[in-house]
Amino acid sequence: MAEQFYGQFGEDRLLADMFRDGGAGVCVDVGANDGVTGSVSLYFERIGWRCVLVEPNPDLCARLRRERASFLFEGAASAARGTTTLMLAEGADLSHAVSSIEPGARDGIRRQGLTVREVAVATAPLDEILEQAGVAPGEIAFVSIDVEGHEAAVLAGFNLARWRPRVLIIEDNSIFFGNGLRGLLERQGYVRFRRTGVNDWYAARGDAVAGERPEQAYRTSMVRARGLMIRRNLSDRLLALPGVGGAIGHVLRSLRGQSSD
C-alpha cells in the first residue's frame, strides 16, 4: 500500500526519508491547523510516532480531537504562560490560515476582505507543553513551527539546549532578508540546510541530516522557494486592492488549498 503524505510542500515525505531507519520517534507540530490539511505530523502519527500538537483555534481543536490521537495543547505556544487574543479570520474557505495573535493582525485580515472574531486563548511556553506531554529531553526528531509571525516568541519559550530537537522547520514569509531567526538559532548551535516553500529548515550543527555543506544546500533550495514567496507577495498586493481584494482572496485561498491536497 502506497504511503500517504500531507505536508503542503512535501515536508513529511522528506522527513520520512530522513528518519526512516530510526524507528518510532517524537515530533512537535506548533500551529497544527486541523490536523490533516497540510499536516507535517499526521503521517508520523499513523506510523506509530508520538506527536505533540499545539493549536489555539478552538474550531480547529475540535476537529483535531476527532481526527487525531496525539496529545493536544489547545492554546498558543509563546514566551510566557497567560492569555491573549486570537484574531480569528472568517468569511471564506481556508480563511483561518491567516488567523494570528500578533499585533496588527486585525488590519491585515480585514485588508483581505475577511472578518475578524476575537477569541481569548491560553498561552504557555513550549517547554511547559512538552513537560505536560511527557516528552523527555533528547528524544524529539523534529519540530514544525507555523504561527503567522509569532515564531520568535515560540522560540523564546523553548529551551533548545535542553530539548535538542534534531530538525526545526520554521515558517518564514519574508521576501529577501529573512525573519531574523537565523542568527538566534546559530548562536544556539543550529544551522540552515534546506528551504521548502515558505519554510526554513535548521539542524543541530554537525548532525548528519544537515549534510557536509548545509549553507550551500540551503542556497540551492532557497532560489526556487523564494520565487514562490515573490509570487505570494504579488498576490498580497492584489488582495489589498480596493473593491476587488476580497474576490481575489477567495480565488487565491482556493488555489493554495488545492496545492496542499
Side-chain angles (χ1 to χ4, degrees):
M1 183 175 178
E3 294 178 308
Q4 184 172 359
F5 296 98
Y6 304 87
Q8 185 176 9
F9 303 105
E11 288 85 359
D12 49 352
R13 186 186 300 273
L14 292 167
L15 288 162
D17 289 340
M18 190 177 292
F19 295 113
R20 193 170 298 279
D21 298 328
V26 176
C27 63
V28 183
D29 196 346
V30 183
N33 194 15
D34 62 14
V36 178
T37 307
S39 177
V40 177
S41 61
L42 177 56
Y43 166 82
F44 294 93
E45 180 180 287
R46 291 185 170 175
I47 63 169
W49 282 41
R50 291 175 56 206
C51 303
V52 177
L53 311 177
V54 182
E55 176 56 51
N57 184 327
D59 299 331
L60 296 178
C61 285
R63 184 176 180 191
L64 280 162
R65 292 188 176 93
R66 293 193 302 269
E67 301 283 352
R68 302 289 297 270
S70 295
F71 175 92
L72 170 64
F73 175 77
E74 182 171 342
S78 193
R81 177 193 294 271
T83 59
T84 191
T85 301
L86 171 66
M87 298 298 174
L88 187 57
E90 298 180 327
D93 292 341
L94 303 176
S95 57
H96 61 262
V98 295
S99 302
S100 177
I101 63 174
E102 281 292 286
R106 180 199 302 274
D107 293 339
I109 291 169
R110 286 179 171 170
R111 280 196 297 270
Q112 298 186 42
L114 302 171
T115 58
V116 176
R117 174 163 59 98
E118 296 186 9
V119 179
V121 298
T123 65
L126 191 51
D127 289 345
E128 293 186 11
I129 296 170
L130 294 173
E131 290 170 358
Q132 291 176 29
V135 176
E139 66 177 357
I140 301 173
F142 70 87
V143 179
S144 171
I145 303 175
D146 180 354
V147 290
E148 302 305 313
H150 202 62
E151 294 80 13
V154 173
L155 291 172
F158 185 27
N159 187 337
L160 290 173
R162 175 187 179 190
W163 300 102
R164 301 309 293 175
R166 293 187 65 189
V167 174
L168 296 167
I169 303 174
I170 304 177
E171 185 180 54
D172 176 6
N173 283 304
S174 63
I175 302 301
F176 295 113
F177 301 108
N179 56 9
L181 298 181
R182 177 188 174 189
L184 170 69
L185 289 167
E186 284 187 343
R187 289 191 293 274
Q188 297 184 67
Y190 282 79
V191 294
R192 295 185 306 186
F193 71 98
R194 174 175 288 161
R195 186 171 176 90
T196 53
V198 296
N199 300 311
D200 279 346
W201 294 50
Y202 294 83
R205 184 178 290 109
D207 193 307
V209 299
E212 295 182 357
R213 298 180 178 178
E215 274 299 322
Q216 181 176 324
Y218 175 82
R219 286 192 294 271
T220 300
S221 61
M222 179 268 292
V223 171
R224 180 176 180 275
R226 289 295 182 187
L228 172 65
M229 285 306 306
I230 291 171
R231 292 195 297 274
R232 285 201 170 188
N233 183 256
L234 291 173
S235 73
D236 289 341
R237 292 177 182 274
L238 290 173
L239 291 174
L241 291 175
V244 297
I248 293 171
H250 176 76
V251 173
L252 291 174
R253 281 187 295 273
S254 297
L255 292 173
R256 290 178 185 179
Q258 292 169 10
S259 72
S260 301
D261 293 342

